[in-house]
Amino acid sequence: RREMRPFGVRVSIIEPGGFRTAIIDPVTVVKGFKQQWERLPAETQAAYGRHYVDSYAKSTVLLHRLSSSRLSRVTGAMAHALLARFPRSRYAAGWDARLAILPLSYCPAWLTDA
């Protein structure tokens, strides 16, 4: 909340990349996705096609493989933001965040969306 700056409140943005946590566990994510898929009307399923489910499952597995298991990068950024005398305004935790997410955050929305 950068609007809090006039009141002496400092805000740091922490942008983590992909990390191996339960939220990206492929088994859990794909299971939940397939449950939601089964609840969709037949016409919606037909519009997306079965290949959509399969490609989503593959991308989830790929994301998990490319993710880091070193959560200390995120907690280290949090600790620095909270305890440092001069915290940074923006932290990128993980190599994927530094190489992709952080540069994209400075780009116009139309480029980021593409």
Side-chain angles (χ1 to χ4, degrees), residues 13-17 19 73-74 76-78 88-103 105-106:
I13 299 168
I14 300 174
E15 297 172 304
F19 289 91
R73 292 180 178 152
V74 178
M78 292 171 71
R88 291 180 239 146
S89 62
R90 190 174 228 121
Y91 293 85
W95 287 109
D96 52 343
R98 289 183 183 169
L99 297 175
I101 297 171
L102 186 62
S105 70
Y106 292 105

